[in-house]
Amino acid sequence: IIDNSGDKLKACFEVISESKNLTFIDLLKFLPPKEKLNTLHAELKQSLRLNGKKIEEAKQKMADYNNSAQEVANQLKLLQSSSMPIPPNQCCHKCNKQFLEDQKIYAFPCLHIFHQKCIMELFFEFKMHVSNEKMALLHKINQFM
């Protein structure tokens, strides 16, 4: 494939640049040192620019993901530190059973209170009406309970 012909080298480089697994470094090992710089100079510059853009895009995505993860972590901390007094005769709004001292519960601002198991049953029962984001957040909260 490598015969000092600029057209063949460019064709090889185009194939490599379209590949997700190969890079220009894979092609360089087959070229004599002088040809590496002379023939592929423009292609190498273009490849470096393209990879630089991809790296910047990946960095931005990572920053966005980190910000989202931090926001979820902050919300979880806020939820974990929230508390409210529950009257001794208060019952679960789904099963109508009283709460035991060691049970995990969900209490809403509207004063509806549920056992953890009961609220999960309700969410799965009405899952089509609950967004995937809210379901994912609920699963994360359950991991910390």
Side-chain angles (χ1 to χ4, degrees):
I1 293 177
I2 308 296
D3 66 355
N4 294 337
S5 164
D7 292 335
K8 285 188 177 183
L9 286 173
K10 286 183 181 182
C12 290
F13 193 79
E14 286 175 11
V15 169
I16 287 173
S17 67
E18 292 174 6
S19 170
K20 292 185 178 188
N21 298 322
L22 298 174
T23 66
F24 67 90
I25 293 171
D26 298 314
L27 177 63
L28 289 177
K29 60 186 168 187
F30 296 106
L31 293 175
K34 194 174 186 180
E35 283 298 312
K36 289 179 188 177
L37 293 177
N38 294 339
T39 307
L40 298 176
H41 181 71
E43 286 84 359
L44 290 173
K45 281 176 62 177
Q46 180 184 359
S47 177
L48 290 171
R49 270 195 299 274
L50 178 64
N51 287 329
K53 283 183 181 179
K54 288 180 181 179
I55 289 170
E56 289 305 316
E57 289 171 3
K59 283 181 182 178
Q60 184 59 49
K61 282 183 182 179
M62 287 300 296
D64 292 344
Y65 292 143
N66 285 335
N67 290 339
S68 295
Q70 186 60 49
E71 185 178 324
V72 169
N74 291 341
Q75 289 175 356
L76 286 173
K77 284 180 185 177
L78 181 64
L79 287 171
Q80 288 173 339
S81 65
S82 300
S83 65
M84 64 182 275
I86 299 173
N89 59 349
Q90 181 73 44
C91 295
C92 174
H93 280 83
K94 181 178 187 289
C95 68
N96 291 322
K97 293 181 182 173
Q98 287 189 335
F99 299 105
L100 301 176
E101 196 170 311
D102 63 338
Q103 287 181 315
K104 305 218 184 263
I105 63 168
Y106 283 88
F108 294 91
C110 59
L111 301 181
H112 286 87
I113 304 173
F114 300 90
H115 293 105
Q116 182 180 14
K117 179 182 173 194
C118 293
I119 195 69
M120 291 304 293
E121 288 172 2
L122 283 173
F123 274 122
F124 284 112
E125 203 173 301
F126 297 102
K127 186 176 189 282
M128 67 185 106
H129 302 294
V130 179
S131 71
N132 287 339
E133 291 84 18
K134 287 183 181 178
M135 287 301 292
L137 182 60
L138 184 64
H139 284 292
K140 284 188 182 233
I141 291 169
N142 279 332
Q143 290 175 352
F144 289 101
M145 292 186 87

